[in-house]
Amino acid sequence: MPRYEYRCRTCGDTFEVSRPMAESSAPADCPAGHDDTVKLLSAVAVGGTAAGGSGTAPAPSGGGGGGCCGGGCCG
């Protein structure tokens, strides 16, 4: 079940609430009983590797650049 982070505008406490995604926009009361809360935008960290992967990201292939000659003529 997803966890959503809230901040109480009255006391400044930050807290989390676990609830179904269908209820993600429902208001949440502060643990101290205040009802003036705001849902915070949380960064999501997604980790892991594909099955059989080495666990590291592939190295950039280099090259790239742009322009008419692939970047070789630009200083």
Side-chain angles (χ1 to χ4, degrees), residues 27-59:
D29 288 341
C30 166
H34 307 122
D35 61 358
D36 187 12
T37 61
V38 61
K39 187 168 103 173
L40 302 177
L41 180 61
S42 300
V44 176
V46 178
T49 61
S54 65
T56 60

Side-chain angles (χ1 to χ4, degrees), residues 4-6 15 17 19-29 35 37-40:
Y4 300 95
E5 191 173 21
Y6 293 84
F15 59 97
V17 175
R19 56 172 51 161
M21 289 178 69
E23 297 175 16
S24 66
S25 61
D29 288 341
D35 61 358
T37 61
V38 61
K39 187 168 103 173
L40 302 177

